Amino acid sequence: MRNEPWLLKPQKTKEILQRYGIRMQKKFGQNFLIDAHVPEKIVAAADITGTDFVIEIGPGIGTLTQYLCQAAGSVATVEIDRHLLPVLEETLADWDNVEVISGDVMKLDLAALIEAKTAELAAALQAGAGGITGEPAEAGAAEPAVSDAGASSVSVKVVANLPYYITTPILMKLLEEELPIDSITVMIQKEVADRMQAAPGTAAYGALSLAVQYYAEPKLSAIVPPNCFVPRPNVESAVIHLARRAPAERIQVQDSGKMFAIIKAAFAQRRKTLVNALRNAADLRKEDGTSYSREEAEQALTACGFPLTIRGEALGLQEFAKLSDIL
Ligand code: SAM
């Protein structure tokens, strides 16, 4: 039988926090989960199985981590706050498929971690090592369900209750570094989740919507009220699932860097028309290093079939790609 998560049993979290004298640190965005339904929903939304390598960012005292260890083939969890390391040693002691990495996820070489851990899990699955899935490895035990799995069948999933002060930089690192990640399932502020899946013409639509939707398909999985955390955050939270698009599945554009410079310019001053945004954009230059003139911006919009008075907030990803290619 797989080990059961126990930190959310009555009084357990309180007892651990008291015994270790843990004070939640605001500077690290520490809001710990105290409601068992939430990790269950997160694990279900991430669709975790025994052939998954899961990266968690910010285990805290290990609450969600216990659920991840129970469901995944292997887990690596990255925690910046060194005070929590002895706690994690105790709360994760029942699982042998987890590694706690002490440090800042923004500085971690995730590509190297993924390469090493997926190879390790694939080898263990191929060898039929039941222990790596959380099952006790018994001599002569029945063949594990995953015994014939190879390296290609290991999926990489990121699952986290993210520190809210650094949500967007973490997600953009995960998406832009072209890591072999299949999906990202994270708890974030509901307002940020709304922006990620917003459509053109809505108030929440902006550069973040376009960046996320270029790299992934976002889906809101659950809304989580403040009373599911200690301390209670001031805002509602949401679980969002981002299914990563492989490069061939993305909107095709000649130069994605240029497209994102156009998007940044278009939303830097959202009330400006696109023509004005394009000619005043600091990061947008022609090949000769000069900025676009009004005439050039107008010609590009006309060639795309857009009215000259259009604002960036009216354009979807496909239209920004077209404009970028023409410019
Ligand atoms: N997973 C726990 C839970 O759900 O109860 C804690 C979530 S708490 C919102 C965020 C966690 O991320 C904290 O443990 C915090 O110390 C950690 N953290 C903050 N910044 C980090 C960073 N740059 N790298 C790694 N961990 C970080």
Side-chain angles (χ1 to χ4, degrees):
M1 209 191 101
R2 292 186 177 190
N3 291 317
E4 295 284 336
W6 51 262
L7 254 169
L8 291 179
K9 295 207 166 123
Q11 301 303 319
K12 271 294 178 192
T13 291
K14 203 171 156 195
E15 189 257 312
I16 290 274
L17 291 174
Q18 275 178 356
R19 184 150 48 80
Y20 283 90
I22 301 287
R23 284 163 191 259
M24 264 66 111
Q25 304 221 51
K26 213 174 165 187
K27 68 171 177 182
F28 290 142
Q30 291 179 349
N31 298 93
F32 296 163
L33 274 169
I34 48 165
D35 183 320
H37 294 111
V38 182
E40 282 163 9
K41 278 186 192 160
I42 296 175
V43 168
D47 193 20
I48 300 171
T49 72
T51 57
D52 291 337
F53 164 53
V54 172
I55 303 174
E56 185 192 20
I57 297 153
I61 59 170
T63 310
L64 175 60
T65 327
Q66 292 190 339
Y67 289 81
L68 300 176
C69 293
Q70 185 194 29
S74 98
V75 178
T77 185
V78 189
E79 177 55 61
I80 199 169
D81 183 356
R82 289 170 170 275
H83 296 107
L84 297 173
L85 299 180
V87 186
L88 289 165
E89 212 166 291
E90 175 177 340
T91 58
L92 302 179
D94 291 345
W95 290 271
D96 60 4
N97 59 342
V98 57
E99 182 181 342
V100 177
I101 299 171
S102 172
D104 180 349
V105 72
M106 296 305 289
K107 297 184 183 150
L108 193 68
D109 183 348
L110 286 168
L113 176 74
I114 291 171
E115 197 181 332
K117 286 289 183 179
T118 49
E120 193 182 293
L121 178 58
L125 293 173
Q126 245 158 3
I132 199 109
T133 63
E135 303 278 355
E138 284 169 28
E143 195 183 339
V146 289
S147 63
D148 59 347
S152 61
S153 61
V154 171
S155 295
V156 181
K157 295 176 179 167
V158 173
V159 185
N161 170 15
L162 284 180
Y164 293 173
Y165 77 102
I166 195 177
T167 300
T168 305
I170 291 176
L171 288 176
M172 291 322 296
K173 174 182 161 88
L174 295 171
L175 294 170
E176 285 173 349
E177 282 188 8
E178 299 292 356
L179 300 162
I181 292 172
D182 294 276
S183 67
I184 301 172
T185 309
V186 282
M187 175 117 67
I188 57 178
Q189 283 184 42
K190 164 130 187 335
E191 179 261 329
V192 180
D194 288 342
R195 280 164 45 206
M196 286 182 181
Q197 50 162 21
T202 61
Y205 187 62
L208 181 67
S209 327
L210 286 152
V212 167
Q213 291 168 27
Y214 175 71
Y215 290 105
E217 199 179 327
K219 185 172 163 237
L220 196 80
S221 296
I223 294 175
V224 180
N227 62 8
C228 293
F229 306 86
V230 57
R232 288 164 63 117
N234 296 327
V235 291
E236 258 189 334
S237 303
V239 178
I240 193 158
H241 177 77
L242 306 177
R244 192 171 156 273
R245 298 183 207 273
E249 294 164 358
R250 295 178 195 156
I251 294 283
Q252 296 305 305
V253 59
Q254 283 163 28
D255 179 351
S256 61
K258 180 164 193 167
M259 179 179 75
F260 282 114
I262 295 170
I263 289 171
K264 191 173 160 200
F267 289 97
Q269 288 164 298
R270 10 181 354 129
R271 303 314 302 161
K272 270 193 179 163
T273 63
L274 197 51
V275 170
N276 281 330
L278 290 175
R279 43 192 280 267
N280 293 318
D283 297 341
L284 190 61
R285 291 279 179 271
K286 291 185 284 187
E287 271 167 23
D288 63 6
T290 60
S291 8
Y292 288 95
S293 65
R294 168 176 288 281
E295 292 66 39
E296 286 166 330
E298 288 182 350
Q299 273 169 15
L301 291 194
T302 305
C304 289
F306 305 152
L308 297 181
T309 51
I310 200 163
R311 294 197 172 95
E313 62 197 14
L315 301 188
L317 203 43
Q318 188 85 60
E319 281 99 25
F320 275 111
K322 190 171 175 188
L323 178 60
S324 173
D325 286 349
I326 284 181
L327 274 172

